[in-house]
């Protein structure tokens, strides 16, 4: 049987999917025995389609025409954003069509409603490309690791941030210069705020947390901190201490609640995630039966993302019209844990005047809040003003560190808000 595909959105990823369907039918057939045919493409701007030979493919500016095309059984939504993507997906599901999407923001905000529509209509909603592009992490969680309780997930899931942090660390470049290069290379969002403020990673974090623990996870409940506060000094100082700064999504279950958070994290040099450089993504999953597994690859880009979209289409085609498999179900309704309860080590850079007694006051405040200091170094020459005092704490709670910093930052000698980075 031939599986007919419709692609809504002929932009970067859509173009990659069209290219793959037109050129890699042989590989698809060899691996799956299926014939997958592009039947219909819809976009308001048809210019990008000029590069393709679309003989036999319907081209339209109306997504509704594509959804109702009887030759289309799988609809790919590749326009991104919330609307009209959500409407198109719901219309396709309600019309009995399977849907494949790469739309992480939409899923992070509306997955329960979309999943429910897929279940009700007995069709599939698949979104492997929405999280870390080429990396089959959704398949790993739903299939490869299905016998496991997930202990923790640590993910580098934004290529732009990892590219910036890598080049700041290895070449001592300034944040703004590297950001411009990431934008020029085409993997940063336009504008790149979703990347550098951590929201793109948060979308992926919410999707993975839901899958890992079979629970709806509201985006608003996640703690999200991007990399705009990371300075060259912090990258250099922490590198001397044996760490790489990475923007991580961290997901785990603690005492019946979900920890789901996104923030810059100091990853020890010996951890596998410290070796993930430039725009590459990687996800480290710890589970009770399989133990540790690591997934690595490109998280963005025209063809890498298309690879994941087309793999979802092929999986649907493999069923050859048989009923959709057991859908993803929310079995639990777990709360997201308060950030103040987090336990861990903290890197602190206090920027202060170099005067006798200042360091004593800072350490006394930390001690008063029960925060024990593992190391303390003044990074500048005596006489410089202000100076950087770098502290590493022992394990403590986020609430205690934050309470201490509120007092330290209010001291008259403190020159700017203390820089804080959590340690893995
Ligand atoms: N802009 C994202 C990144 C790619 O830099 O990884 C798509 O999520």
């Amino acid at each position: 049987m031939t599986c007919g595909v419709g692609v809504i959105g002929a932009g970067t990823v859509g173009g990659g999917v069209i290219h793959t369907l037109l050129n890699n039918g042989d590989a698809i057939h060899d691996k799956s025995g299926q014939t997958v045919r592009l039947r219909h493409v819809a976009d308001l701007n048809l210019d990008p389609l000029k590069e393709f030979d679309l003989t036999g493919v319907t081209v339209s500016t109306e997504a509704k025409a594509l959804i109702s095309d009887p030759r289309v059984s799988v609809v790919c939504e590749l326009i991104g954003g919330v609307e009209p993507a959500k409407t198109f997906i719901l219309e396709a599901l309600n019309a009995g069509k399977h849907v494949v999407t790469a739309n992480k923001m939409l899923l992070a905000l509306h997955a329960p409603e979309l999943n429910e529509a897929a279940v009700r209509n007995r069709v599939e909603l698949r979104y492997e490309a929405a999280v870390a592009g080429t990396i089959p992490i959704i398949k790993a969680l739903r299939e490869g690791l299905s016998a496991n309780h997930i202990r923790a997930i640590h993910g580098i899931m934004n290529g732009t941030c990892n590219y910036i942090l890598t080049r700041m660390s290895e070449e001592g470049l300034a944040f703004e210069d590297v950001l411009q290069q990431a934008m020029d290379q085409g993997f940063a969002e336009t504008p790149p705020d979703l990347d550098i403020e951590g929201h793109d990673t948060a979308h992926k974090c919410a999707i993975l947390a839901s899958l890992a623990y079979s629970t709806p996870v509201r985006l608003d409940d996640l703690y999200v901190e991007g990399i705009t506060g990371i300075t060259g000094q912090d990258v250099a100082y922490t590198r001397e201490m044996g760490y790489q700064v990475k923007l991580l999504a961290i997901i785990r279950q603690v005492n019946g609640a979900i920890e789901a958070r996104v923030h810059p994290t100091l990853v020890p040099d010996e951890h596998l995630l410290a070796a993930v450089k430039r725009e590459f993504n990687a996800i480290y999953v710890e589970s009770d039966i399989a133990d540790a597994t690591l997934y690595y690859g490109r998280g963005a880009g025209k063809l890498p993302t298309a690879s994941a979209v087309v793999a979802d289409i092929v999986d649907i085609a493999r069923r050859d019209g048989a009923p959709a498999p057991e859908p993803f179900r929310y079995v639990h309704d777990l709360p997201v844990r308060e950030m103040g309860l987090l336990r861990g080590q903290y890197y602190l850079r206090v920027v202060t005047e170099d005067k006798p007694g200042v360091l004593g006051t800072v350490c006394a405040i930390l001690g008063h809040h029960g925060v024990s200091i593992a190391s303390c170094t003044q990074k500048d020459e005596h006489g410089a003003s202000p100076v950087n005092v770098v502290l590493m704490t022992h394990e403590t709670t986020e609430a205690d560190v934050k309470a201490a910093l509120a007092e330290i930052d209010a001291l008259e000698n403190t020159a700017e808000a203390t820089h804080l980075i959590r340690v893995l």
Side-chain angles (χ1 to χ4, degrees):
M1 205 164 93
T2 298
C3 173
V5 179
V7 173
I8 304 176
T12 306
V13 178
V17 170
I18 293 167
H19 170 93
T20 308
L21 291 174
L22 294 178
N23 293 286
N24 281 30
D26 56 342
I28 292 170
H29 194 269
D30 288 353
K31 292 192 178 63
S32 67
Q34 303 302 317
T35 303
V36 176
R37 284 253 192 281
L38 180 64
R39 296 297 195 193
H40 200 137
V41 181
D43 201 322
L44 293 175
N45 176 12
L46 300 176
D47 284 350
L49 297 175
K50 286 181 188 142
E51 68 172 285
F52 301 111
D53 175 3
L54 292 175
T55 310
V57 178
T58 306
V59 174
S60 59
T61 52
E62 272 295 321
K64 284 179 197 304
L66 181 149
I67 291 165
S68 60
D69 184 336
R71 298 192 308 162
V72 169
S73 57
V74 180
V75 173
C76 295
E77 179 279 305
L78 300 171
I79 54 176
V82 174
E83 284 295 357
K86 182 177 171 215
T87 299
F88 293 156
I89 290 178
L90 287 172
E91 283 178 3
L93 295 171
N94 290 333
K97 309 281 167 106
H98 304 289
V99 171
V100 176
T101 178
N103 194 330
K104 61 226 159 206
M105 183 196 285
L106 178 60
L107 288 158
L109 290 168
H110 298 292
E113 183 183 351
L114 300 175
N115 274 318
E116 189 274 326
V119 171
R120 184 165 25 83
N121 290 293
R122 296 169 188 270
V123 288
E124 288 195 66
L125 170 67
R126 298 184 68 115
Y127 43 88
E128 187 65 73
V131 182
T134 52
I135 302 174
I137 186 63
I138 292 175
K139 206 164 210 195
L141 290 176
R142 293 206 59 199
E143 297 179 25
L145 297 174
S146 60
N148 289 260
H149 296 104
I150 303 299
R151 292 211 162 115
I153 298 176
H154 292 91
I156 295 171
M157 299 195 287
N158 185 274
T160 302
C161 290
N162 206 46
Y163 179 86
I164 293 171
L165 293 170
T166 303
R167 297 205 60 200
M168 285 174 76
S169 171
E170 295 190 342
E171 298 164 63
L173 295 174
F175 183 97
E176 293 74 23
D177 296 342
V178 197
L179 171 61
Q180 188 54 52
Q181 292 180 35
M183 290 165 70
D184 295 345
Q185 295 201 28
F187 40 80
E189 310 287 324
T190 315
D193 307 47
L194 281 176
D195 297 305
I196 61 179
E197 300 292 356
H199 300 297
D200 176 78
T201 305
H203 296 149
K204 298 162 185 171
C205 179
I207 296 170
L208 288 193
S210 273
L211 288 169
Y213 296 110
S214 307
T215 183
V217 175
R218 291 182 57 242
L219 200 51
D220 288 347
D221 291 340
L222 268 57
Y223 176 80
V224 184
E225 180 187 322
I227 63 166
T228 49
I230 299 293
T231 66
Q233 279 167 312
D234 295 314
V235 170
Y237 294 159
T238 55
R239 197 182 154 139
E240 281 172 22
M241 297 162 89
Y243 296 100
Q244 299 294 322
V245 184
K246 298 288 182 194
L247 183 71
L248 290 192
I250 300 177
I251 301 164
R252 64 170 108 231
Q253 192 173 357
V254 183
N255 300 333
I258 298 288
E259 248 183 36
R261 49 193 164 99
V262 173
H263 51 72
T265 307
L266 295 185
V267 178
D269 284 339
E270 58 275 14
H271 195 289
L272 287 169
L273 289 179
V276 177
K277 303 284 170 76
R278 297 178 81 102
E279 70 269 33
F280 279 86
N281 286 199
I283 303 166
Y284 187 81
V285 182
E286 292 162 82
S287 56
D288 60 348
I289 308 292
D291 204 350
T293 51
L294 178 71
Y295 308 85
Y296 172 89
R298 287 190 180 276
K302 176 176 177 165
L303 293 178
T305 309
S307 167
V309 171
V310 176
D312 272 344
I313 298 169
V314 173
D315 265 354
I316 292 169
R318 276 194 171 104
R319 269 179 279 291
D320 203 14
E326 175 70 2
F328 171 70
R329 288 180 303 124
Y330 298 106
V331 181
H332 308 289
D333 194 0
L334 303 174
V336 172
R337 201 160 179 256
E338 255 183 72
M339 204 51 191
L341 298 171
L342 184 67
R343 289 195 71 80
Q345 272 190 283
Y346 290 78
Y347 158 92
L348 305 173
R349 177 163 61 87
V350 182
V351 186
T352 183
E353 274 183 84
D354 189 14
K355 275 193 181 166
V358 169
L359 192 53
T361 307
V362 166
C363 294
I365 293 172
L366 287 165
H368 174 72
H369 287 279
V371 179
S372 166
I373 298 164
S375 68
C376 174
T377 319
Q378 181 171 321
K379 286 292 179 186
D380 309 83
E381 301 277 313
H382 179 54
S385 185
V387 289
N388 291 284
V389 177
V390 170
L391 296 133
M392 186 64 88
T393 74
H394 284 126
E395 188 172 297
T396 181
T397 68
E398 175 101 3
D400 287 337
V401 170
K402 287 291 176 71
L405 292 190
E407 281 187 39
I408 290 168
D409 289 351
L411 292 173
E412 112 186 67
N413 297 310
T414 306
E416 57 188 74
T418 297
H419 299 254
L420 170 158
I421 312 179
R422 297 165 189 85
V423 181
L424 180 63

